[in-house]
Structure formats: structure tokens, C-alpha cells
């Protein structure tokens, strides 16, 4: 049985003060989620992680949006996993399409970060997803399969089951044009088939989230799909009210 997971990706929103306010008000929705065996978390920007860490209820998962794979050293502007761990971060988004697009992150680079996170007992949330052009050419599955194979390269089954995958079609991110639940389920099932090729029946343990214009009014549709194990949500995770409605939609 895979535990459903809702992760709010705050992207470059909410400085420390606003993030603290959210964390301080989040106890009721975290309790509601826990009562229904849902995992819930937020991924603030780096400078807001510490303020969320010191004001959040224990059960609110704290995720970073990126990390560096090296432990320390001459990497100006970078943040290591041990630094994140020190302030209470347990999860880290890797390979978000915005980082792939604006920061040139490749699946090979993501693989190094995933391995480093696992070595430090943090949970990677590995993002994959195709452009509108790839979608329209009908090449979604081959494109996403490649991202999965490269991201999971040389992971053992024991490591692989600790990774959370997030399928986020680029054309659905921030556009209000979400993938239908049929499309999301079909692609996510395809991703699970790739993971089955790699890890056999242990692939059933790997959680795969959908992301891309998930809102309080459509989250329930995704949650009905057998292969979709939760959601990675941008815009609709930014206010307590909307986040709470997302949780309610998952119940
Ligand atoms: P939106 O929910 O704003 O479309 O963003 C999705 C996303 O990129 C989450 O990582």
C-alpha cells in the first residue's frame, strides 16, 4: 500500500516571513491529513527553509527544491545536502522542468543528486515530463522513459523504492491546462512499467505523483486513478485555504 503524498512546490515565492506564517497556521491541515494517512509537505525556497523548520508541526514534511551533490567545497552559490539535513530538511525535489530549462540540469546530473540524497537518507522527488511539442508528436512515453532510466541509473532496488517520482507535463505547469486524469494515469502507468522493467515487482512500492495545474477542484479526479499516488502542486499550494482544500480533495 503506497501512502498518498501531497507536496507543495512554492518555487520562488514566500520569503522567510510569509513562509513562517504558513507554517504557523498549518497544524489543522496537517492533523487532518494525518487522520487520513496522507503525507503532506512543502518545498520552500532555500532562504525560507529554516523559518518553516522552526514553526512547522512535526508531521509537515520539509523539502528543498534543489541541492548540490557534493558534500562541501568550492562550489560558490551552492547548498549541500548535509546543510539541508542540519536544518531538518528530509526531502528534495530534483530535476524540476524549470531547473532543466533555466539551469541546464540533465537527467545524468539528477542521477548524481539522487544518489547523494539517498546516501544521506533524504528522499528525492524526481521530476520528469515532456514539452507540448513532444506530447503532440505522441512521444511522451519514450521521452519520459529516457528521463526515468537516466535518473535511476545504477540505483539498487532498495534505493529505488525510496525515490518519489513526479510526472509533470511541461505544458500543464502553471498554464491552468492540466492533463486529463486519463492522460496522467496512462503516462504514470507507463512510468511504472519502465520501473518494473528495472526493478520487477518492487516497482509497485515506488510512489508516482502527478503535477501540473492541480487545483482543489480537480485533485480528486487524479486521486481516483490507481497508479497516481499524490500530487506535486505549485500555485494552489501557496495559501493555507487552498492547501487545505487540496487535502480535503485527497480524502
Ligand atoms: P502548478 O501547480 O502551478 O501548475 O505548478 C506545478 C509544478 O510545477 C509543481 O512542481
Amino acid at each position: 500500500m503506497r501512502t498518498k503524498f501531497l507536496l507543495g512546490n512554492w518555487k520562488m515565492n514566500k520569503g522567510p516571513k510569509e513562509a513562517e506564517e504558513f507554517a504557523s497556521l498549518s497544524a489543522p491541515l496537517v492533523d487532518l491529513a494525518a487522520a487520513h494517512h496522507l503525507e503532506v509537505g512543502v518545498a520552500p525556497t532555500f532562504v525560507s527553509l529554516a523559518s518553516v523548520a522552526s514553526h512547522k508541526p512535526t508531521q509537515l514534511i520539509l523539502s528543498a527544491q534543489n541541492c548540490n551533490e557534493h558534500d562541501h567545497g568550492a562550489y560558490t552559490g551552492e547548498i549541500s545536502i548535509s546543510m539541508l539535513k542540519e536544518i531538518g530538511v528530509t526531502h528534495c525535489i530534483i530535476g524540476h522542468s524549470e531547473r532543466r530549462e533555466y539551469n541546464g540540469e540533465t537527467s545524468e546530473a539528477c542521477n548524481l543528486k539522487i544518489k547523494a540524497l539517498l546516501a544521506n537518507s533524504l528522499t528525492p522527488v524526481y521530476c520528469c515530463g515532456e514539452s507540448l511539442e513532444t506530447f503532440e508528436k505522441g512521444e511522451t512515453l519514450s521521452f519520459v522513459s529516457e528521463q526515468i532510466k537516466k535518473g535511476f541509473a545504477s540505483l539498487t532496488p532498495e534505493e529505488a523504492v525510496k525515490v518519489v517520482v513526479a510526472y509533470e507535463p511541461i505544458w500543464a505547469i502553471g498554464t491552468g491546462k492540466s492533463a486529463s486524469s486519463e492522460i496522467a494515469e496512462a503516462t504514470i502507468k507507463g512510468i511504472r512499467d519502465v520501473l518494473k522493467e528495472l526493478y520487477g515487482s518492487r516497482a509497485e512500492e515506488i510512489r508516482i505523483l502527478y503535477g501540473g495545474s492541480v487545483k482543489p477542484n480537480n485533485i480528486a479526479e487524479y486521486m481516483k486513478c490507481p497508479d497516481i499516488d499524490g500530487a506535486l502542486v505549485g500555485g494552489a499550494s501557496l495559501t493555507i485555504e487552498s492547501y487545505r482544500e487540496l487535502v480535503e480533495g485527497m480524502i
Side-chain angles (χ1 to χ4, degrees), residues 9 11 96 98 168 172-175 211-215 232-236:
N9 176 10
K11 308 190 179 186
H96 191 281
E98 288 149 15
E168 298 203 310
I173 295 177
T175 58
S213 296
V214 174
K215 306 289 175 201
L232 181 58
V233 183

Side-chain angles (χ1 to χ4, degrees), residues 96-110 113:
H96 191 281
S97 60
E98 288 149 15
R99 291 205 60 81
R100 291 180 190 260
E101 183 178 353
Y102 307 131
N103 301 81
E105 273 190 21
T106 62
S107 298
E108 287 82 355
C110 292
K113 295 184 185 198

